[in-house]
Amino acid sequence: MKQSEPNTLRRELARSQQAGPHPDADVLTAFAEDALPEREKKQLIAHLAVCAHCREVLSVAASATPEPITDDTAHVLPRPVHPPLRTWLPWVATAAGVVIVGAAVLLHERKQEFKPRSENNASAPTTATVQAPAQPDKQLQTAIAQAPKPVHNKPGPAPVAKHTESSQQATDAVIASEYREPSNRLETIPQNPTSVAGPIAGALPAAQSPPPPVSPLASSRVAPAFAMSKALGLTEAQSVNAVRPHWRINSSGQAERSVGDSAWQPVLPNERSKMRVVAVFGNDVWVGGEDLRLYHSSDSGTTWSFISLPGKTGGEHAIAHIVFQTPQAGTVEADDGTSWTTIDGGKTWK
Amino acid sequence: MLPEPSTLADIPTLGSAVSEAIARRYNESGGERYGITPESFHNIVATVVIRYAGEASEKEQLDLVATLHVAELTLARACSAGNEMAWDVFLTRFRVPLYESAYRIAKDEATGRELADGLYADLYGMPNREGRRISRLDYYMGRGSLKGWLRTVLSQQYVNRYRSQSREISLDEQVEASVSFAERPAENVPSPDDRVAAAIAQTLTELNSEERYLLASYYLDQRTLADIGRQLHVHESTVSRKLERVTRQLRKRVRKRLQAAGFHPRRCDELMQELDVRDLNVDVAAALRQETSPGTFYK
């Protein structure tokens, strides 16, 4: 029913408009100011329902009200003067608290993340000599080889040179420091680049010659993305996004990697079981799949090691989830709900 | 001519609790400034209590005493008694709001000034037959704020004035204003509308007063939902929901009545569907003539 159209309802309503004596101005004012007791309010509404005159008076008076609340009527309609501010203030305070707590938690996590990496860095040169050299990643080698070498005027002490036992190890360690991911560089690389450039300049071969083989553990601390970005002359932020390896499980169940714009390459070509999940934490990559097959690479997929999960054979189960909170601590879960947790980067599982 | 307000001699006695409550409010009334004694103040407030809650319970009387605007009530009485200081206070606090309200109501400066001047003269008072000056302020009872009361009185005067003027418009002026004069439909010709109208009229009597007030405000007065909400001190969405519920129930009951009157259910549906379109031919003006017509007082 439209408000503006005449109709039977309006006609019958008009016919019912037979009001008695009108209420005085005091009662109408009290009604307008919501100060009438319930009994009188009902009586007045009953009158208003049949009295167009009083409805009109109330409406005209309401249209002349200058401001919603004045000091004179404040006790009649006790409403806050600034309700929006009072309403939003607690929410703003809560939001600020959440932001502060969230920032504190993030900082704490970042701190925890850096600790184990620093320990690894310290022990890297000694353990690097024990492990057999792995096949270097061709793409990374090319990128490093093509990288323009900086000109260094002042040789300076290498920050990790005291941990090395041979020049080759020193080179590996320094390269590891030089090409570490941006987040780690802040801890290990001095602010003045020339302080670490001297040994590099001395240790590195000529720009055209291929780079020395990188040991697996040393390469684990090398960030290929950052290395390639230097080679391409990109800024730090651009380069990390541009050349950071991308990972996927293809339709055949093979784990694949793509660096930059390069084509997808299988990283576990000999694996027959279908992979299901891939998890990346910095340079650490974890790939899991059917028959509880779990692989780990600590160098962004250059080298891989098979991880045997204790207490259960593969059978018909598969790894369904891989979650790492830090490079060292994480959980692997099978599709039947069984889970394994490590706190040492996958060396031991519980 | 205004009727004279009740005199103090008419005031019956109140309960001791109410009298004590009145006495407790004397200090905040500021009556002492205007030479109003506690006894006079008691009589002023007792008049109000008797007028509005004379038959009510003691609790209601106490509530009324507690909610009265006693400071403005004593100011009004002091003004009507000719107290100079009270008039100074009144002019300082209420003269500007009075004229502002009049301008807002009239939406025209000349009319607004005329309206406010008229009320101002009434407030000052006119001598009656016995030579006693009767001020309009004698009728202020302190139930609402004095500013609100002045607005209401201005609105009453404006509505009465406009209505009286509209009645005095000559036929020539109406012709000049291009007012069309449609032939009035015969009132007692039976038609299918009558049965629908009877069903609606009967159903309307079953509604409570608030529901009828909503329907009348919305469909008769053409008020907006926001206007109605302001008057009832509820949000307009609440008014909308209530209106929707009332009209839905109304249609349901009317349909039921039509069925009871012998209409086939299918015919009932047709009637209900055709209701708005067919009613465009109904002469609503005749029905609305008795009190006022929607939009009369809006320019």
Side-chain angles (χ1 to χ4, degrees), chain A residues 8-343:
Chain A
T8 312
L9 173 62
R10 290 179 59 193
R11 185 177 58 185
E12 295 307 319
L13 276 170
R15 278 182 182 164
S16 68
Q17 301 285 295
Q18 294 175 6
H22 299 298
D24 61 28
D26 261 87
V27 174
L28 290 177
T29 306
F31 175 76
E33 294 176 352
D34 201 18
L36 271 188
E38 203 57 33
R39 177 180 60 84
E40 281 185 274
K41 195 174 178 179
K42 282 181 181 173
Q43 288 175 356
L44 182 64
I45 288 178
H47 174 82
L48 290 173
V50 295
C51 181
H53 177 269
C54 289
R55 290 199 303 269
E56 194 67 53
V57 169
L58 277 176
S59 177
V60 171
S63 71
T65 305
E67 65 278 347
I69 303 293
T70 64
D71 290 343
D72 296 338
T73 56
H75 67 285
V76 178
L77 300 171
R79 293 172 188 166
V81 179
H82 300 295
L85 181 63
R86 291 187 183 178
T87 307
W88 285 103
L89 200 56
W91 292 104
V92 170
T94 307
V98 168
V99 168
I100 291 168
V101 171
V105 169
L106 280 174
L107 283 174
H108 180 70
E109 284 186 356
R110 290 294 295 271
K111 231 175 182 179
Q112 294 287 12
E113 179 184 338
F114 290 148
K115 276 183 183 173
R117 281 176 177 256
S118 300
E119 289 164 6
N120 272 353
N121 292 343
S123 61
T126 52
T127 54
T129 55
V130 178
Q131 295 197 14
Q135 194 65 25
D137 187 296
K138 289 182 179 177
Q139 290 174 339
L140 294 181
Q141 282 185 1
T142 308
I144 293 170
Q146 291 175 351
K149 297 297 180 287
V151 178
H152 309 291
N153 297 326
K154 295 180 183 177
V160 290
K162 60 184 178 181
H163 299 296
T164 59
E165 294 177 2
S166 65
S167 62
Q168 182 61 54
Q169 289 166 358
T171 304
D172 290 346
V174 172
I175 290 172
S177 297
E178 175 69 8
Y179 294 128
R180 192 165 293 124
E181 267 195 308
S183 59
N184 291 346
R185 278 197 313 134
L186 295 174
E187 282 191 351
T188 53
I189 297 180
Q191 291 298 314
N192 183 2
T194 57
S195 62
V196 292
I200 294 176
L204 281 175
Q208 289 78 13
S209 62
V214 181
S215 68
L217 197 54
S219 67
S220 73
R221 288 177 285 112
V222 172
F226 189 60
M228 290 189 72
S229 73
K230 283 203 159 218
L232 296 170
L234 299 173
T235 64
E236 203 168 301
Q238 287 172 329
S239 61
V240 170
N241 290 332
V243 297
R244 181 181 287 281
H246 296 273
W247 297 91
R248 74 173 187 185
I249 305 292
N250 66 15
S251 57
S252 305
Q254 286 186 311
E256 291 184 331
R257 180 182 68 165
S258 168
V259 180
D261 295 329
S262 64
W264 288 99
Q265 299 289 338
V267 290
L268 300 167
N270 299 325
E271 176 56 53
R272 298 298 171 205
S273 299
K274 287 186 177 180
M275 296 296 107
R276 287 195 179 181
V277 289
V278 57
V280 181
F281 198 107
N283 293 334
D284 290 278
V285 185
W286 300 82
V287 176
E290 292 177 349
D291 303 323
L292 298 181
R293 306 286 284 179
L294 178 65
Y295 290 90
H296 173 228
S297 169
S298 58
D299 50 11
S300 290
T302 304
T303 58
W304 292 90
S305 54
F306 174 73
I307 306 293
S308 178
L309 294 169
K312 197 155 187 171
T313 55
E316 296 178 350
H317 297 297
I319 292 172
H321 300 288
I322 303 174
V323 180
F324 272 77
Q325 291 80 29
T326 69
Q328 304 297 312
T331 303
V332 173
E333 187 178 323
D335 55 5
D336 64 344
T338 310
S339 63
W340 296 265
T341 302
T342 179
I343 55 170

Side-chain angles (χ1 to χ4, degrees), chain B residues 5-274:
Chain B
S6 54
T7 59
L8 297 180
D10 303 330
I11 301 170
T13 54
L14 294 169
S16 59
V18 179
S19 296
E20 287 171 12
I22 294 171
R24 279 196 296 273
R25 299 211 63 189
Y26 174 71
N27 285 339
E28 62 181 290
S29 74
E32 198 175 355
R33 291 176 64 194
Y34 313 125
I36 295 177
T37 62
E39 292 74 26
S40 301
F41 176 74
H42 179 273
N43 290 336
I44 291 168
V45 176
T47 306
V48 176
V49 173
I50 296 302
R51 180 185 173 97
Y52 293 106
E55 306 296 324
S57 64
E58 188 177 73
K59 182 182 178 305
E60 280 190 62
Q61 291 179 343
L62 288 170
D63 289 342
L64 178 58
V65 171
T67 56
L68 283 179
H69 295 241
V70 288
E72 293 176 347
L73 182 60
T74 52
L75 176 68
R77 293 295 179 274
C79 284
S80 63
N83 186 292
E84 291 293 330
M85 185 190 291
W87 272 109
D88 285 344
V89 173
F90 180 85
L91 291 175
T92 305
R93 286 182 57 193
F94 297 101
R95 189 173 187 280
V96 173
L98 173 70
Y99 277 83
E100 283 180 351
S101 296
Y103 295 148
R104 285 199 186 92
I105 288 170
K107 297 177 177 64
D108 170 64
E109 189 172 347
T111 311
R113 178 173 288 276
E114 191 180 346
L115 194 66
D117 286 344
L119 177 58
Y120 191 71
D122 283 348
L123 295 175
Y124 188 71
M126 299 283 285
N128 62 4
R129 291 172 189 168
E130 290 79 32
R132 179 172 170 256
R133 204 168 61 182
I134 303 298
S135 166
R136 185 109 193 192
L137 284 169
D138 279 330
Y139 295 87
Y140 174 64
M141 297 294 167
R143 301 209 62 187
S145 67
L146 187 50
K147 273 183 195 168
W149 181 81
L150 290 170
R151 263 197 308 273
T152 305
V153 174
L154 279 172
S155 304
Q156 285 176 326
Q157 291 193 342
Y158 180 75
V159 169
N160 293 335
R161 175 194 173 96
Y162 194 93
R163 177 176 296 163
S164 63
Q165 282 187 350
S166 68
R167 283 176 186 150
E168 292 166 2
I169 293 175
S170 67
L171 184 62
D172 290 341
E173 284 176 315
Q174 290 187 52
V175 172
E176 281 177 14
S178 304
V179 176
S180 58
F181 299 93
E183 184 185 358
R184 287 184 61 187
E187 292 182 354
N188 297 320
V189 177
S191 69
D193 285 350
D194 286 345
R195 284 180 288 181
V196 179
I200 291 176
Q202 202 172 352
T203 308
L204 280 176
T205 60
E206 296 172 356
L207 300 178
N208 64 38
S209 55
E210 190 189 37
E211 291 169 337
R212 277 186 302 200
Y213 169 69
L214 285 176
L215 291 174
S217 295
Y218 190 70
Y219 290 110
L220 272 186
D221 303 344
Q222 308 277 293
R223 302 264 179 268
T224 63
L225 296 174
D227 284 343
I228 301 170
R230 265 196 298 276
Q231 288 194 357
L232 291 175
H233 306 285
V234 294
H235 194 265
E236 58 182 280
S237 60
T238 307
V239 177
S240 174
R241 279 197 304 274
K242 284 184 176 180
L243 261 175
E244 190 185 344
R245 181 171 50 81
V246 171
T247 49
R248 193 174 57 242
Q249 287 178 355
L250 201 65
R251 284 180 169 275
K252 197 174 171 183
R253 290 179 191 176
V254 168
R255 189 180 185 282
K256 202 172 177 181
R257 283 216 156 76
L258 290 174
Q259 272 188 287
F263 282 101
H264 189 273
R266 189 176 296 171
R267 177 61 183 148
C268 289
D269 292 338
E270 288 172 1
L271 281 170
M272 298 303 290
Q273 286 175 357
E274 293 169 2

